[in-house]
């Protein structure tokens, strides 16, 4: 039932079998009233109400971005956002999940592009139209500084845009609210891939190790392990030299035969 | 929001014993660890894998006689959604070279490599592209990339030891030798791994590793890998088509016995589609949503083990599926965090596990299976679990995170565990001041379909990659080897499937005779059931609502 501080809600459309329940709160799923236990997340409230979720349900743990939800509370025009799997219902919330948004995504060949602002503007010319209204930041369910990373991208600070956008779950709410029609989360994705590929220094030790593997030097020792009996294998396992937890990066083991 | 007054009262008992526990820890006096014999005893008495009646023998199929959890057995001993008498295989709706079933990390890696072999690829996936357990993997990815201290030799030993030396040696060798290549490949695709200024990758220890070889991207390594692979697939949309909300429900063979496609089910329009393909890569992932023995899970909504039963019906056996990985510390309160993983690092940093009386009952750095068995024992046999508010018959134990602040200084919890700190803060719980309520949670399917090191199986044209396969991890996977498994074997399966496509002539006449044979075998084994599989989606529906759905028919969990 509506709590005292809430505006009274219409009760005539309440089914009789719910009339005696005191543990329920009304929520309005796409404008239609359902009465659900007050402890549920929006996601579980949908299921309680009788929906079999197909869209708008993914990891159920706050990382996949499938269940972006917009809602409003009585007496305020403010639109709130949240992930349905992480947000607990509130009495009289009006809500809709946004399972998909038709954002613009550029197709590119990572091998052929350069990590600069020209690349960003070529693939996402709308980037230049950002008017700095900050609606994207205010609408991010992950509380990311969306406008800040877009500004960084526009200044050509691709690495900064990559870092600021790193925890993005790509739910698309920012894009749905953007008056300049930017696809912030796709721009962030491009910045991150450019950073990972071109701006961060390459890991030379990985290439060196691949070359050693391809030279075949581990083939013999590995075959020997594969053929070893259980007792031998157990002994090798128990006796293997442990890198100490506090060891620094360049620590070297005593045994070098199998490196 | 926050803990209930009842729980706050119980927390006082935990706080009362905390100073003494912290003092002991500071003096390096640890709770006694179990001996190897005691460990075995605890596992046999309390680990869910050993629970009498928890497992049963399969009565049909290539692994007939094998004992596994009855939730799996139920999935295998069920009828297909496809009626062999009614299906019209003459009308093919999609024709492609490689059909990849599953749009997670393994499937997407397979699609990329198959495309590079010149194949046209379709990825059919149950939910959105990238909605998968890959996305949820936090910790990292193992690879022996640092030649001055590590090599595939040591990685091999660690994997075998973790899996109780039962792992398939050929698969392990393949995984550890391919591992550095995979890191190089991901780096080249633009994955933002954490690095030093000279480009050296950050690496950490994981449980059971002898060298620091866990590479990571913040605390969302899986999400970073998944979104990069997906982004790359989207750049190749001319050759890689993605059918979302279209899970496969049955495989197709041709008259020569080669795997030749699948039947897809469009979840939105409820149509079935027939895909003809020259090779199929099965990459449907794990099965936490089967809720083996009623456990909550850390897994994705779509993790219902669909690929297991589809592969089984065409004659591919299963192995190590009797072994399920329970992560000891899954959140049980508040409800919206249920099943959520609390990383092992919290115990590594010194937090004790505490019962309702405020007593420590187990050393906090026992292996995962021992830790889980001990928590279950405390809550069931000993009866000192903390009741979970609003959920009769459910218990948890305290994971005493505030200890970390006392041991390592104020602010440590927020600094070391930022994601969990923020998450709990949203629920009105400050984990630097109050403990977390936890219970073991279903985490990983150690076993699965039998496959070879190039992803091939006993059925020509049918390849397996990732969690749906079994063998590489033996009976117990180590942290950091699942992201490695999916990328290594995803790539190899894609490569082998692409090569097979080039060799293979035309696809013969499509057939579902294997379904007919399987149904007959069910009947002959005396299994009379209206169960259908694969499950596709778990059933979290409201039974009261279902009772009022007067004209609705359910096939399995779906209308």
């Amino acid at each position: 039932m509506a709590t005292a501080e809430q505006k009274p809600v219409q009760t005539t459309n309440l089914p009789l079998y719910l009339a005696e329940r005191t543990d329920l709160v009304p929520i309005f799923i796409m404008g239609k009233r359902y009465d659900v236990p007050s402890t549920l997340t929006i996601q579980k409230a949908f299921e309680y109400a009788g929906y079999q979720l197909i869209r708008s349900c993914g990891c159920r743990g706050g990382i996949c971005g499938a269940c972006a939800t917009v809602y409003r509370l009585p007496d305020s025009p403010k639109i709130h956002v949240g992930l349905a799997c992480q947000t607990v219902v509130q009495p009289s919330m009006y809500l809709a999940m946004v399972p998909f948004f038709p954002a613009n995504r550029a197709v590119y060949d990572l091998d052929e592009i350069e990590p600069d602002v020209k690349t960003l503007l070529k693939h996402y010319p709308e980037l230049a139209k950002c008017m700095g209204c900050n609606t994207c930041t205010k609408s991010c369910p992950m509380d990311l500084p969306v406008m800040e990373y877009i500004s960084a991208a526009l200044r050509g600070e691709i690495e900064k845009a990559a870092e600021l956008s790193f925890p993005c779950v790509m739910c698309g709410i920012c894009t749905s609210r953007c008056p300049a029609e930017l696809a912030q989360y796709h721009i962030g994705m491009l910045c991150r891939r450019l950073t990972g590929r071109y701006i961060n220094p390459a890991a030379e030790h990985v290439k060196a190790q691949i070359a050693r593997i391809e030279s075949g030097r581990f083939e013999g020792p590995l075959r020997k392990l594969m053929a070893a009996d259980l007792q031998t294998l157990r002994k090798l396992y128990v006796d293997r030299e442990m890198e100490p937890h506090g060891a620094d990066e360049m620590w070297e083991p005593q045994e070098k035969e199998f490196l | 929001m926050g803990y209930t007054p009842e729980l706050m009262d119980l927390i006082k008992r935990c706080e009362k014993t905390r100073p003494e526990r912290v003092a002991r820890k500071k003096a390096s006096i640890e709770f006694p660890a179990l001996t190897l014999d005691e460990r075995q005893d605890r596992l046999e008495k309390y680990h869910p894998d050993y629970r009498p009646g928890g497992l049963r023998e399969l009565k049909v199929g290539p692994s007939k006689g094998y004992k596994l959890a009855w939730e799996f057995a139920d999935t295998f001993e069920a009828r297909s959604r496809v009626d062999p008498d009614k299906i019209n295989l003459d009308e093919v709706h999609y024709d492609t070279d490689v059909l990849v079933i599953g749009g997670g990390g393994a499937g997407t890696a397979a699609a990329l490599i198959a495309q590079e072999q010149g194949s046209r690829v379709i990825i059919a996936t149950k939910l959105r592209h990238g909605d998968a357990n890959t996305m949820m993997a936090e910790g990292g990815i193992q690879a022996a990339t640092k030649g001055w201290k590590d090599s595939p030799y040591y990685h091999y030993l660690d994997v075998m030891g973790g899996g109780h030396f039962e792992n398939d040696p050929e698969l392990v060798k393949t995984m550890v030798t391919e591992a550095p290549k995979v890191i190089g490949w991901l780096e080249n695709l633009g994955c933002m791994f954490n690095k030093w200024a000279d480009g050296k990758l950050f690496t950490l220890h994981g449980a059971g590793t002898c060298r620091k070889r866990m590479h990571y991207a913040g605390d969302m390594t899986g999400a970073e890998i998944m979104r990069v692979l997906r982004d790359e697939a989207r750049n190749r949309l001319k050759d890689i088509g993605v059918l979302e909300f279209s899970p496969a429900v049955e495989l197709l063979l041709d008259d020569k016995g080669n795997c030749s496609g699948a039947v897809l089910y469009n979840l939105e329009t409820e149509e079935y589609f027939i895909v003809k393909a020259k090779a199929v890569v099965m990459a449907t992932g794990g099965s936490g949503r089967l809720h083996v023995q009623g456990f909550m899970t850390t897994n994705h909504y779509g993790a219902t083990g669909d690929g297991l039963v589809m592969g089984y019906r065409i004659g591919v056996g299963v192995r190590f599926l009797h072994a399920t990985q329970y992560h000891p510390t899954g959140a049980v309160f508040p409800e919206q965090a249920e099943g959520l993983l609390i990383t092992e690092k919290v115990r590594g940093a010194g937090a004790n596990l505490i019962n309702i009386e405020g007593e420590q009952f187990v050393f906090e750095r026992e292996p995962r299976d021992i830790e889980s068995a001990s928590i279950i024992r405390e809550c069931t046999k000993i009866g000192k679990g903390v009741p979970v508010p609003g959920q009769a018959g459910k218990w948890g134990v305290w994971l005493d995170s505030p200890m970390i602040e006392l041991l390592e200084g104020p602010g440590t919890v927020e600094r070391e565990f930022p994601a969990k700190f923020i998450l709990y803060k949203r629920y009105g719980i400050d984990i630097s001041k109050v403990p977390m309520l936890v219970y073991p949670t279903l985490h990983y399917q150690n076993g699965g379909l039998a496959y070879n090191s190039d992803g091939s199986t006993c059925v020509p044209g049918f390849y397996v990659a990732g969690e749906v396969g079994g063998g590489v991890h033996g009976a117990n996977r180590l942290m950091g080897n699942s992201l490695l498994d999916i990328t290594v074997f995803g790539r190899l399966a894609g490569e082998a499937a692409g090569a097979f496509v080039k060799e293979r002539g035309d696809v013969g006449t499509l057939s579902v005779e294997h379904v007919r044979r399987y149904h007959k075998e069910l009947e002959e084994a005396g299994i009379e059931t209206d169960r259908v599989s694969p499950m596709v989606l778990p059933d979290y529906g409201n039974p009261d609502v279902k009772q009022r759905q007067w004209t609705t028919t359910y096939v399995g969990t779906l209308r």
Side-chain angles (χ1 to χ4, degrees), chain B residues 18 32 36 39 50-51 74 84 108 121 140 285 312 317 339 411-412 433 505 517 524 526 542:
Chain B
R18 189 179 295 143
L36 286 178
R39 277 187 182 182
Y50 293 83
R51 193 178 288 168
D74 273 0
T108 310
V121 181
Y312 197 71
T412 310
K433 297 195 172 69
R517 277 199 304 275
E524 285 168 1
N542 181 339

Short mmCIF file of all heavy atoms in Angstrom, two decimals, chain B residues 18 32 36 39 50-51 74 84 108 121 140 285 312 317 339 411-412 433 505 517 524 526 542:
data_model
loop_
_atom_site.label_atom_id
_atom_site.label_comp_id
_atom_site.label_asym_id
_atom_site.label_seq_id
_atom_site.Cartn_x
_atom_site.Cartn_y
_atom_site.Cartn_z
N ARG B 18 36.04 -9.64 17.99
CA ARG B 18 36.96 -9.15 16.95
C ARG B 18 38.33 -8.72 17.48
O ARG B 18 39.35 -9.14 16.92
CB ARG B 18 36.31 -8.02 16.14
CG ARG B 18 37.13 -7.62 14.92
CD ARG B 18 36.45 -6.53 14.11
NE ARG B 18 35.19 -6.99 13.52
CZ ARG B 18 34.10 -6.22 13.41
NH1 ARG B 18 34.10 -4.97 13.88
NH2 ARG B 18 33.01 -6.70 12.85
N PRO B 32 43.70 -23.30 13.46
CA PRO B 32 44.38 -24.48 12.92
C PRO B 32 43.78 -24.94 11.58
O PRO B 32 42.57 -25.07 11.46
CB PRO B 32 44.18 -25.55 14.00
CG PRO B 32 43.21 -24.99 14.98
CD PRO B 32 43.16 -23.51 14.80
N LEU B 36 45.31 -33.22 5.80
CA LEU B 36 44.80 -33.76 4.53
C LEU B 36 43.67 -34.76 4.77
O LEU B 36 42.69 -34.79 4.05
CB LEU B 36 45.93 -34.40 3.73
CG LEU B 36 46.90 -33.42 3.08
CD1 LEU B 36 48.00 -34.16 2.35
CD2 LEU B 36 46.18 -32.46 2.11
N ARG B 39 40.57 -32.89 5.81
CA ARG B 39 39.99 -32.25 4.62
C ARG B 39 39.10 -33.22 3.85
O ARG B 39 37.97 -32.91 3.49
CB ARG B 39 41.12 -31.83 3.67
CG ARG B 39 41.76 -30.51 4.00
CD ARG B 39 42.71 -30.19 2.87
NE ARG B 39 43.43 -28.96 3.11
CZ ARG B 39 44.30 -28.45 2.24
NH1 ARG B 39 44.55 -29.08 1.10
NH2 ARG B 39 44.91 -27.32 2.48
N TYR B 50 29.43 -34.57 -2.78
CA TYR B 50 29.45 -35.88 -2.12
C TYR B 50 28.12 -36.22 -1.44
O TYR B 50 27.99 -37.25 -0.82
CB TYR B 50 30.56 -35.91 -1.06
CG TYR B 50 31.96 -35.83 -1.63
CD1 TYR B 50 32.51 -34.59 -1.96
CD2 TYR B 50 32.71 -36.97 -1.83
CE1 TYR B 50 33.79 -34.50 -2.48
CE2 TYR B 50 33.99 -36.90 -2.35
CZ TYR B 50 34.53 -35.65 -2.67
OH TYR B 50 35.80 -35.57 -3.17
N ARG B 51 27.18 -35.30 -1.51
CA ARG B 51 25.94 -35.48 -0.75
C ARG B 51 25.18 -36.71 -1.27
O ARG B 51 24.92 -36.82 -2.46
CB ARG B 51 25.06 -34.24 -0.88
CG ARG B 51 23.92 -34.20 0.12
CD ARG B 51 23.13 -32.93 -0.03
NE ARG B 51 23.86 -31.76 0.46
CZ ARG B 51 23.47 -30.51 0.23
NH1 ARG B 51 22.37 -30.29 -0.47
NH2 ARG B 51 24.16 -29.50 0.71
N ASP B 74 18.47 -34.75 -15.18
CA ASP B 74 17.14 -34.34 -15.65
C ASP B 74 17.22 -33.67 -17.02
O ASP B 74 16.35 -33.85 -17.87
CB ASP B 74 16.51 -33.35 -14.67
CG ASP B 74 15.75 -34.05 -13.56
OD1 ASP B 74 15.72 -35.29 -13.56
OD2 ASP B 74 15.19 -33.34 -12.69
N PRO B 84 10.65 -35.09 -34.43
CA PRO B 84 11.24 -35.58 -35.70
C PRO B 84 10.17 -35.89 -36.75
O PRO B 84 10.46 -35.85 -37.95
CB PRO B 84 11.96 -36.87 -35.29
CG PRO B 84 12.11 -36.79 -33.82
CD PRO B 84 10.99 -35.94 -33.29
N THR B 108 32.67 -15.90 -29.64
CA THR B 108 33.09 -14.73 -30.43
C THR B 108 34.52 -14.91 -30.92
O THR B 108 34.84 -14.56 -32.07
CB THR B 108 32.92 -13.44 -29.60
OG1 THR B 108 31.59 -13.42 -29.06
CG2 THR B 108 33.10 -12.21 -30.47
N VAL B 121 30.23 -16.61 -41.28
CA VAL B 121 29.90 -17.08 -39.93
C VAL B 121 28.56 -16.53 -39.47
O VAL B 121 28.24 -15.36 -39.75
CB VAL B 121 30.99 -16.64 -38.92
CG1 VAL B 121 30.68 -17.16 -37.52
CG2 VAL B 121 32.37 -17.11 -39.36
N GLY B 140 41.03 -12.24 -13.55
CA GLY B 140 42.11 -12.11 -14.51
C GLY B 140 42.25 -13.32 -15.41
O GLY B 140 41.39 -14.20 -15.44
N GLY B 285 28.64 -22.19 -22.98
CA GLY B 285 29.05 -21.83 -21.62
C GLY B 285 28.54 -22.78 -20.55
O GLY B 285 28.31 -23.96 -20.82
N TYR B 312 25.18 -34.00 -26.45
CA TYR B 312 24.98 -35.37 -25.95
C TYR B 312 24.05 -36.15 -26.88
O TYR B 312 24.27 -37.32 -27.16
CB TYR B 312 24.38 -35.27 -24.54
CG TYR B 312 24.48 -36.54 -23.73
CD1 TYR B 312 25.70 -36.98 -23.25
CD2 TYR B 312 23.33 -37.27 -23.42
CE1 TYR B 312 25.80 -38.13 -22.48
CE2 TYR B 312 23.41 -38.42 -22.64
CZ TYR B 312 24.63 -38.86 -22.18
OH TYR B 312 24.72 -39.99 -21.42
N GLY B 317 30.04 -37.65 -25.54
CA GLY B 317 29.95 -37.96 -24.12
C GLY B 317 30.38 -36.79 -23.25
O GLY B 317 30.90 -35.78 -23.74
N GLY B 339 23.95 -14.25 -4.37
CA GLY B 339 24.74 -15.05 -5.29
C GLY B 339 25.99 -14.34 -5.76
O GLY B 339 26.89 -14.95 -6.33
N GLY B 411 40.75 2.64 5.81
CA GLY B 411 40.70 2.98 4.39
C GLY B 411 41.13 1.83 3.49
O GLY B 411 40.97 1.90 2.27
N THR B 412 41.68 0.74 4.09
CA THR B 412 42.17 -0.35 3.25
C THR B 412 41.04 -1.02 2.45
O THR B 412 41.22 -1.35 1.28
CB THR B 412 42.88 -1.43 4.12
OG1 THR B 412 43.82 -0.76 4.96
CG2 THR B 412 43.61 -2.43 3.25
N LYS B 433 33.04 -1.28 8.10
CA LYS B 433 32.60 -1.20 9.50
C LYS B 433 31.80 -2.42 9.96
O LYS B 433 31.82 -2.77 11.13
CB LYS B 433 31.75 0.06 9.71
CG LYS B 433 32.54 1.35 9.46
CD LYS B 433 31.82 2.56 10.02
CE LYS B 433 32.67 3.80 9.95
NZ LYS B 433 32.88 4.26 8.54
N GLY B 505 32.87 -31.28 -48.56
CA GLY B 505 32.07 -31.09 -49.78
C GLY B 505 30.71 -30.53 -49.39
O GLY B 505 30.56 -29.91 -48.34
N ARG B 517 16.15 -41.46 -32.39
CA ARG B 517 16.84 -42.55 -31.68
C ARG B 517 16.91 -42.26 -30.18
O ARG B 517 16.71 -43.12 -29.34
CB ARG B 517 18.27 -42.72 -32.23
CG ARG B 517 18.36 -43.56 -33.49
CD ARG B 517 19.78 -44.05 -33.71
NE ARG B 517 20.77 -42.97 -33.75
CZ ARG B 517 21.07 -42.27 -34.85
NH1 ARG B 517 20.49 -42.55 -36.00
NH2 ARG B 517 21.97 -41.30 -34.80
N GLU B 524 12.91 -46.79 -23.97
CA GLU B 524 13.41 -48.12 -23.62
C GLU B 524 13.99 -48.16 -22.21
O GLU B 524 13.99 -49.20 -21.57
CB GLU B 524 14.47 -48.57 -24.64
CG GLU B 524 13.83 -49.01 -25.96
CD GLU B 524 14.84 -49.19 -27.07
OE1 GLU B 524 16.05 -49.00 -26.83
OE2 GLU B 524 14.41 -49.51 -28.19
N GLY B 526 12.70 -46.68 -19.85
CA GLY B 526 11.56 -46.52 -18.95
C GLY B 526 11.40 -45.11 -18.42
O GLY B 526 10.80 -44.89 -17.37
N ASN B 542 6.25 -16.35 -11.16
CA ASN B 542 5.45 -16.35 -9.94
C ASN B 542 4.36 -17.41 -10.08
O ASN B 542 3.51 -17.31 -10.96
CB ASN B 542 4.85 -14.94 -9.78
CG ASN B 542 4.02 -14.79 -8.53
OD1 ASN B 542 3.55 -15.78 -7.97
ND2 ASN B 542 3.85 -13.55 -8.10
#
